[in-house]
Amino acid sequence: MRTVELGTTGEQVSAVALGAMLLGTRTDDAGGFALLDRFAADGGTFLDTADCYAWWEDRGSTGGQSEELLGRWFASRPGSRDRTFLSTKGTAMIRDVDEVWPADGGAPDWDAARERFVGASAPVLRRSLEASLRRLGTDHVDLYFVHVDDRSTPLEETLAELAAFVAEGKVRYVGWSNVRAWRLAEIAQLCRQHGWPAPVALQQEHSYLQRRPGLRQGSIVDDEQLDYLETHPELTLVAYSPLLKGAYDQTAEERAGNWMLANYAGPHTDGRLAAVDAIAAETGATGSQVVLAWLLARTEPRVIPLVGTTRQDRWAQAVAALDLRLTDEQRTRLDEA
């Protein structure tokens, strides 16, 4: 495992992070611990979760299962917490979670859920962090993300509370997720003005494919945000869903049924998928490994792929991308497709 610097902090973290979203729901302790053991054995240090993970897996749940499983793993593996760069997130818990589940027993209503985020007020953040620390069985987290952009709460209130967490030693660094570039600029300006700790990481959906033109979506990196990141090296991009639900390894028929690709639809995506397929054939790697190698080779901005999985074999395939060296010509073809 290689390491990379987080922002300009001097902190070295594993070049690939493990997303623990579904640990504790789609896995039991045995399966989750086995994956985490493999992650640690491979040199993985950057481990990401959130307090809301994963309420949607169990009707009646309010989340916290992932953090609870991680807490049990830390407790059962002496020294593991000290060797882990641990990030979690707050603000995306759901108020009145029962109201987002339909009476007929179907899937939760995500539009309704997004209207019930608890948000980023100081009291909510305080309760959220304290609950996360209890579940994780630790006295601090290394990186604390604001999970959703709460525009009903003044940024000053949110940032002052995050600064208090850092001063108290409960959080080492702060980050933001699912936020637009202009809000990042406001956050940075307020931090400079008040002397508050500024975000060192941005967690957004980001992959090799480019979002479709005209899409209004604040969670997927766009050209403006890329430009912002390229000129602000103090922010490292932590890219969630970098493999788009396995899209790069799917057949054309399977891709047609991949709901994540709707946000990327168009001839530009057809061209990029063809380029990935061709270079995968040339290298003998999978399409996913080609994309991870492309992301890992980027320095402006620096990208840390966040691989979310519950399976050891999928984690192993992702880590193998660290050994794939694309040629300059192959990277150029991918860039220009």
Side-chain angles (χ1 to χ4, degrees):
M1 178 68 71
R2 301 198 302 270
T3 63
V4 296
E5 183 180 8
L6 185 70
T8 52
T9 64
E11 186 82 41
Q12 293 289 317
V13 299
S14 55
V16 179
L18 175 63
M21 182 171 69
L22 296 175
L23 300 188
T25 48
R26 295 192 187 177
T27 68
D28 57 11
D29 278 12
F33 286 17
L35 173 62
L36 292 164
D37 288 342
R38 175 63 187 268
F39 162 77
D42 286 338
T45 60
F46 191 170
L47 184 58
D48 179 78
T49 187
D51 61 353
C52 65
Y53 295 160
W55 64 263
W56 56 90
E57 292 290 311
D58 295 313
R59 191 181 186 109
S61 166
T62 56
Q65 299 97 323
S66 174
E67 290 182 332
E68 289 171 348
L69 184 143
L70 294 180
R72 293 191 293 272
W73 181 68
F74 290 136
S76 68
R77 306 293 193 268
S80 60
R81 174 65 189 93
D82 294 336
R83 294 188 292 271
T84 301
F85 186 86
L86 175 62
S87 73
T88 193
K89 303 183 277 293
T91 71
M93 278 284 203
I94 306 295
R95 301 187 309 272
D96 305 318
V97 69
D98 290 341
E99 295 185 11
V100 307
W101 288 93
D104 64 7
D109 182 342
W110 280 98
D111 289 334
R114 292 184 183 97
E115 295 176 357
R116 290 172 169 79
F117 290 144
V118 293
S121 69
V124 166
L125 280 176
R126 176 70 58 173
R127 289 194 297 271
S128 297
L129 177 62
E130 295 292 352
S132 288
L133 294 176
R134 285 194 300 272
R135 286 189 290 265
L136 290 163
T138 186
D139 62 358
H140 75 283
V141 293
D142 298 293
L143 175 59
Y144 193 62
F145 284 101
V146 174
H147 202 168
V148 293
D149 186 16
D150 175 15
R151 299 189 190 176
S152 66
T153 299
L155 279 172
E156 291 88 343
E157 178 179 345
T158 301
L159 290 165
E161 191 68 0
L162 293 173
F165 295 161
V166 174
E168 294 164 14
K170 294 177 179 178
V171 168
R172 294 181 60 212
Y173 304 106
V174 299
W176 230 270
S177 184
N178 301 307
V179 63
R180 295 184 183 276
W182 66 269
R183 290 281 279 178
L184 289 173
E186 286 193 345
I187 290 163
Q189 190 276 330
L190 287 169
C191 289
R192 287 192 298 270
Q193 178 181 335
H194 294 279
W196 292 327
V200 302
L202 170 68
Q203 189 172 144
Q204 299 277 96
E205 182 176 320
H206 181 62
S207 187
Y208 168 65
L209 300 186
Q210 297 169 329
R211 49 191 279 160
R212 62 178 171 81
L215 178 68
R216 291 182 63 88
Q217 166 61 270
S219 296
I220 303 175
V221 173
D222 60 10
D223 288 346
E224 182 180 7
Q225 200 159 65
L226 276 176
D227 182 70
Y228 185 90
L229 289 165
E230 287 167 0
T231 55
H232 291 79
E234 68 274 12
L235 270 177
T236 292
L237 176 59
V238 180
Y240 72 78
S241 298
L243 303 179
L244 299 175
K245 300 291 184 186
Y248 302 106
D249 300 325
Q250 292 176 329
T251 64
E253 183 178 0
E254 289 169 334
R255 287 169 178 167
N258 185 330
W259 62 268
M260 289 201 79
L261 292 181
N263 288 330
Y264 301 88
H268 60 297
T269 283
D270 297 338
R272 290 213 143 194
L273 288 171
V276 170
D277 291 343
I279 292 172
E282 293 170 10
T283 60
T286 68
S288 291
Q289 288 168 338
V290 169
V291 168
L292 286 174
W294 180 82
L295 288 169
L296 289 163
R298 298 183 70 80
T299 57
E300 293 185 352
R302 184 182 302 123
V303 179
I304 298 177
L306 176 59
V307 176
T309 184
T310 60
R311 291 172 45 177
Q312 291 187 64
D313 60 336
R314 288 181 178 167
W315 168 254
Q317 290 169 7
V319 172
L322 289 161
D323 296 324
L324 177 59
R325 295 291 188 269
L326 301 174
T327 66
D328 291 343
E329 186 271 339
Q330 288 169 333
R331 287 199 302 272
T332 298
R333 282 160 57 198
L334 287 168
D335 290 341
E336 296 179 354

